[in-house]
Amino acid sequence: MKQLIRYGALALLAAGLLLAGQWTGWVTDDKCAANGQYEGAMHRQCVKSGAALVFVNEADKKMFKIKDGRKVERFVGQKVMLSGTAEGDVIEVDSVTPVTR
């Protein structure tokens, strides 16, 4: 029983920690992403109109807010490999590389 409690406590601690990593997905706007649309030039217009920049992870389609949008704004509507640190649903971006098919 003590081990179960200890593992549960560790899981709760880990949930609040920062997670550094690399993810493949799309830089897009929050409105289009909510509708499952990630790629294309139209997303630049949405961002210019005030929609928030987000990153959508390809693996699970989870949407992340981006801490400093200036680092990714030139990649809006594109598939990218993003490196950074995630805390909850926010990613602090270290680098962005476009993914070519």
Side-chain angles (χ1 to χ4, degrees):
M1 183 68 168
K2 281 185 179 181
Q3 270 189 318
L4 184 60
I5 293 171
R6 188 177 313 143
Y7 289 131
L10 288 173
L12 288 174
L13 283 173
L17 295 178
L18 299 175
L19 174 65
Q22 283 189 328
W23 303 272
T24 299
W26 299 269
V27 175
T28 187
D29 67 279
D30 62 344
K31 291 180 183 179
C32 291
N35 293 321
Q37 299 173 341
Y38 313 125
E39 291 185 274
M42 70 222 170
H43 300 286
R44 292 182 191 273
Q45 288 297 351
C46 293
V47 170
K48 285 181 182 178
S49 298
L53 281 169
V54 296
F55 174 77
V56 178
N57 186 23
E58 179 179 42
D60 59 7
K61 303 301 188 264
K62 182 175 178 181
M63 189 181 342
F64 292 88
K65 298 171 189 165
I66 299 173
K67 192 168 187 174
D68 184 358
R70 292 176 294 168
K71 293 181 178 180
V72 299
E73 62 190 359
R74 70 183 180 132
F75 299 101
V76 173
Q78 296 181 39
K79 189 172 184 179
V80 299
M81 180 177 287
L82 189 138
S83 296
T85 306
E87 182 174 12
D89 67 345
V90 178
I91 294 180
E92 184 168 348
V93 176
D94 291 330
S95 67
V96 183
T97 306
V99 172
T100 55
R101 297 175 201 238

